[in-house]
Amino acid sequence: MARSLVIVESPAKAKSINRFLGNDFVVKASMGHVRDLPKRELGVDEEDFTPSYQVLPDKKKTLADLRKSAKNAGAVFLASDPDREGEAICWHLREELQRDSKAEFHRVLFNEITKRAVLQAFEQPREIDVHKVEAQQARRILDRLVGYKISPLLWDKVRRGLSAGRVQSVALRIICEREREIL
């Protein structure tokens, strides 16, 4: 029987979890996100807000290693953090890995790295929470749509290299309105 692949975010977690699960599992780290919007373009369709994700350049080697492991795995357990970002990381990993793998993909959640918590999570695998993924995507897309267009204004008026997102854009608006009042 093929061993199962477990993917967590950090190498330290991988080492601890590997001790709990035994020889039927291979535990590897994704080192966080493996895909994101492109760095030098908007990456979001302004008509329907569809994002265009790309594999991060510094994650190509990691992803190639995970692909190789997933291809030979009997099952893939996605075990990143139990929050929106972690859920999105799992979704991106599944999207990338299931192209080359016939393995079943499962989501496992635990809030602590203890043998009891980890083993209990593997007894109750579930699906990726699409609502959390969509929430993370909405934040990321909104940050990009707002920041990508406002950052050049910020560079011109404040300082080059600064970036703006949905939160900073409100502050920038207040600054611009105050500047107009002063003038």
Side-chain angles (χ1 to χ4, degrees):
M1 183 172 123
R3 295 183 349 169
S4 295
L5 172 64
V6 180
I7 303 173
V8 296
E9 287 183 53
S10 79
K13 285 182 187 176
K15 191 174 180 180
S16 297
I17 292 166
N18 199 37
R19 286 195 320 260
F20 302 146
L21 294 176
N23 294 331
D24 292 338
F25 295 86
V26 174
V27 185
K28 298 199 173 215
S30 71
M31 308 293 286
H33 285 278
V34 294
R35 294 193 321 180
D36 197 8
L37 298 172
K39 198 170 185 113
R40 305 238 182 265
E41 59 187 78
L42 186 60
V44 176
D45 184 308
E46 292 186 81
E47 294 291 318
D48 65 4
F49 305 107
T50 302
S52 298
Y53 292 110
Q54 295 179 345
V55 173
L56 295 166
D58 63 330
K59 295 299 174 74
K60 287 183 180 183
K61 186 176 177 184
T62 301
L63 196 54
D65 180 48
L66 293 173
R67 271 196 183 101
K68 184 178 175 185
S69 296
K71 190 173 189 174
N72 299 319
V76 177
F77 292 89
L78 303 167
S80 54
D81 294 348
D83 56 15
R84 279 189 308 256
E85 291 296 320
E87 213 68 23
I89 289 168
C90 289
W91 181 78
H92 285 290
L93 284 166
R94 186 185 68 193
E95 292 291 304
E96 287 294 321
L97 299 178
Q98 71 185 163
R99 296 176 192 165
D100 302 320
S101 177
K102 303 242 185 291
E104 284 190 37
F105 284 75
H106 307 280
R107 175 74 164 111
V108 290
L109 290 170
F110 39 85
N111 292 311
E112 57 188 47
I113 310 295
T114 62
K115 186 172 185 173
R116 184 188 59 76
V118 170
L119 294 178
Q120 191 173 22
F122 278 83
E123 289 174 8
Q124 302 171 1
R126 63 177 187 81
E127 294 295 316
I128 291 172
D129 185 341
V130 179
H131 297 295
K132 284 185 180 178
V133 173
E134 289 172 348
Q136 190 275 343
Q137 271 190 329
R139 277 186 74 174
R140 186 71 187 102
I141 290 167
L142 189 57
D143 276 342
R144 178 56 65 98
L145 288 172
V146 172
Y148 199 80
K149 297 189 178 210
I150 291 180
S151 291
L153 176 64
L154 195 58
W155 300 340
D156 187 45
K157 301 294 181 190
V158 182
R159 190 178 84 226
R160 186 120 186 105
L162 294 176
S163 63
R166 54 186 199 293
V167 174
Q168 295 91 340
S169 62
V170 175
L172 183 60
R173 180 177 178 172
I174 292 168
I175 291 168
C176 290
E177 287 173 356
R178 183 70 179 126
E179 184 70 19
R180 280 189 209 108
E181 287 175 13
I182 292 169
L183 293 174

